[in-house]
Amino acid sequence: MGATEPQWVLMATGRSPTNIAVIKYWGKRDEALILPVNDSISVTLDPDHLSATTTVAASPAFPSDRMWLNGKEISLSGGRFQSCLREIRKRARDVDDEKKGIKIKKEDWEKLHVHIASYNNFPTAAGLASSAAGLACLVFTLGKLMNVNEDYGELSSIARQGSGSACRSIYGGFVKWCMGKNDDGSDSMAVQLVNESHWDDLVIIIAVVSSKQKETSSTSGMRDTVETSPLLQYRAQTVVPSRILKMEDAIKNRDFESFARLTCADSNQFHAVCLDTSPPIFYMNDTSHRIISLVEKWNHSEGTPQVAYTFDAGPNAVLIARNRKTATLLLQRLLYTFPPQENDLDSYMLGDKSILSDAGL
Ligand code: DP6
C-alpha cells in the first residue's frame, strides 16, 4: 500500500435490531469492561421495525476514523467505540477481493482508517433504546469488513464493550447475556436461547409515552444504583438467578402465564431499584403507571395474563401480547383509555412502525 498505488474503498453493510430485556441488566461490576452484576434475558425485535443499518468503509485515502449517526458526524473519541474498534482490528484477517482487485494483509488493518455511517429506522428522539442496535451493528459490520471469524459469542463479547445491552442484539429470538465469572470479561457474552420462529404467536407493541430524551442515562443511572442501592445486591444475588432459570423454562415451554408474571415482576423490581437509588431515579411517569394498571386489571379480570409489560430507562411501555387477537384487543383498550386527542401518549398511531412493533417471533 504505497502512495503510488490506486486508491480504493472497501465497504460492508449490516443491519441489527434492538432488543428488549424481560429480565433486566442493571448494574456493572466492572465499568471499563462493562461486566454486569447479573445475567439478563431479552427478546430481539424484528429488524424491519426498530433497527440500525450501518455501512463501514476502509480506504488508504482516509486520514482518520470517522463516524456519522443519522447523517450527523459524531465523535469517535469515547472509550467504548475505541474498545470495539481495537478488538475487531485485533481479530482482522487477510482480505482478497478478486472482483475489485483489493488485497489487504491482516497487519495492514492496523494502519487503515474506517468511515462509519449508521442510521436508525426509528426516530432517535422517541427515547427508544438505540445504543443496543447501533453498537451491535457496528461490531458485526466491522467484523464483516475486516473478515473477522464469525464467532457470534466473541462478537457479542466485543459489542458488550460498546454498550452492555448490545451484546444481546447479535442474535435473533430470545437471548441470554451470561454475566460470566472471569475478571477479564472473556466469558461475559450472549447466547441464543431459542430462535425467532420458536414463539411466533407473541406480538410486541411499543407505546411511546414521551419522546423526550431521558434525563438520566442508563450508564450513569446504574452507576448511581451500584453505589447507593442496598436493594440491588439482593436483586442481583438472590432474585435474578432463580428468575433466570424460571424465565428460560417459560420461554422453552412457551408458557405465557409464567413469562408474563416474570417479565412484569422484573420490570417492577428494576424500577424499585431505581427508586432505591440516592438520589432516586424516576424513569416512569403517570402515564406509564396508568398503562401498568390497565394491564394488571385486565390480566386479573381474565384470571390468566393476556399481556406482559416492561419499561426500560424511560417512560415508554413495551407490551407483549400473547397472540394477535389479544394484541388487537390491547390496542383497542389503549386507544379507549388514551384517546389520541388527549395527547397523553405523544404519538400513538396504529400501524406506525416506530411504535407498533411485531416481534415476528
Ligand atoms: C434498562 O446497555 O444502555 O435497558 O452498558 O451502560 O451502555 P450501558 O447500558 P445499557 O443499559 C440498558 C439497561 C436497560 C435494561 C436492559 O436492556 O437489560
Side-chain angles (χ1 to χ4, degrees), residues 21 23-26 28 34 40 80 131 162-165 168 218-219 222 270 312-313:
I23 301 289
K24 305 289 185 198
Y25 144 56
W26 195 254
K28 299 180 183 71
I34 310 197
S40 54
R80 290 170 168 214
S131 67
S163 177
S165 53
R168 299 184 308 235
S218 304
T219 307
M222 67 176 86
F270 153 52
D312 278 336

Side-chain angles (χ1 to χ4, degrees), residues 24-94:
K24 305 289 185 198
Y25 144 56
W26 195 254
K28 299 180 183 71
R29 62 180 202 275
D30 185 314
E31 283 269 342
L33 290 171
I34 310 197
L35 301 178
V37 294
N38 58 256
D39 292 346
S40 54
I41 293 181
S42 61
V43 53
T44 299
L45 300 185
D46 180 336
D48 284 344
H49 298 332
L50 301 175
S51 65
T53 301
T54 302
T55 298
V56 289
S59 169
F62 296 161
S64 61
D65 295 331
R66 294 174 73 184
M67 177 164 180
W68 291 261
L69 179 60
N70 297 324
K72 262 197 170 162
E73 183 155 16
I74 59 163
S75 163
L76 270 175
S77 62
R80 290 170 168 214
F81 278 123
Q82 291 306 327
S83 303
C84 292
L85 273 167
R86 187 189 58 238
E87 293 303 315
I88 290 287
R89 277 196 174 109
K90 250 198 241 168
R91 291 163 177 82
R93 297 186 302 182
D94 293 356

Side-chain angles (χ1 to χ4, degrees), residues 92-357:
R93 297 186 302 182
D94 293 356
V95 169
D96 188 353
D97 190 325
E98 272 181 32
K99 259 206 244 143
K100 294 189 191 124
I102 299 174
K103 272 192 181 178
I104 306 171
K105 289 253 157 258
K106 70 172 186 219
E107 54 275 16
D108 292 339
W109 284 112
E110 287 297 332
K111 292 168 265 158
L112 274 170
H113 289 292
V114 290
H115 282 186
I116 303 159
S118 191
Y119 283 89
N120 294 327
N121 67 351
F122 55 97
T124 318
L128 299 163
S130 54
S131 67
L135 268 304
C137 199
L138 175 72
V139 166
F140 189 79
T141 317
L142 279 173
K144 247 181 20 182
L145 180 82
M146 299 190 189
N147 194 22
V148 168
N149 193 3
E150 274 202 11
D151 176 332
Y152 278 33
E154 199 160 295
L155 289 178
S156 122
S157 180
I158 299 171
R160 186 202 78 228
Q161 297 173 57
S163 177
S165 53
C167 76
R168 299 184 308 235
S169 271
I170 293 286
Y171 305 89
F174 280 96
V175 180
K176 172 169 142 182
W177 174 10
C178 308
M179 61 183 281
K181 288 192 176 72
N182 302 345
D183 286 344
D184 65 358
S186 52
D187 58 349
S188 186
M189 61 179 75
V191 292
Q192 186 182 52
L193 295 175
V194 292
N195 71 16
E196 36 282 347
S197 58
H198 171 75
W199 202 350
D200 54 8
D201 287 346
L202 298 182
V203 179
I204 299 183
I205 290 169
I206 298 177
V208 178
V209 170
S210 165
S211 55
K212 283 199 208 97
Q213 210 76 16
K214 55 192 172 203
E215 275 171 33
T216 312
S217 73
S218 304
T219 307
S220 74
M222 67 176 86
R223 188 182 302 133
D224 290 350
T225 302
V226 167
E227 280 167 12
T228 64
S229 165
L231 185 57
L232 181 71
Q233 279 211 357
Y234 173 69
R235 165 175 167 74
Q237 286 164 19
T238 310
V239 180
V240 174
S242 74
R243 249 180 213 168
I244 288 276
L245 297 175
K246 287 182 196 145
M247 183 58 97
E248 284 188 60
D249 275 350
I251 291 167
K252 220 181 293 157
N253 302 323
R254 291 187 286 261
D255 169 0
F256 189 79
E257 182 166 348
S258 305
F259 171 80
R261 289 193 202 287
L262 290 163
T263 299
C264 299
D266 202 69
S267 172
N268 291 333
Q269 189 178 66
F270 153 52
H271 288 278
V273 155
C274 290
L275 213 55
D276 191 46
T277 300
S278 176
I281 310 167
F282 308 102
Y283 283 126
M284 293 194 285
N285 64 17
D286 285 351
T287 309
S288 320
H289 293 146
R290 284 175 68 196
I291 294 174
I292 293 181
S293 290
L294 181 150
V295 173
E296 287 286 353
K297 277 187 197 136
W298 184 13
N299 285 345
H300 185 74
S301 70
E302 294 286 331
T304 170
Q306 303 300 306
V307 174
Y309 56 81
T310 186
F311 294 78
D312 278 336
N316 300 324
V318 178
L319 301 163
I320 309 176
R322 67 185 310 151
N323 54 37
R324 286 196 167 264
K325 202 171 140 219
T326 314
T328 309
L329 290 173
L330 171 65
L331 285 170
Q332 282 169 0
R333 282 170 192 241
L334 284 170
L335 282 172
Y336 179 78
T337 315
F338 304 99
Q341 66 270 26
E342 194 183 323
N343 227 2
D344 210 348
L345 289 174
D346 264 5
S347 53
Y348 192 77
M349 291 168 288
L350 285 182
D352 180 329
K353 283 183 180 165
S354 68
I355 62 156
L356 175 65
S357 182

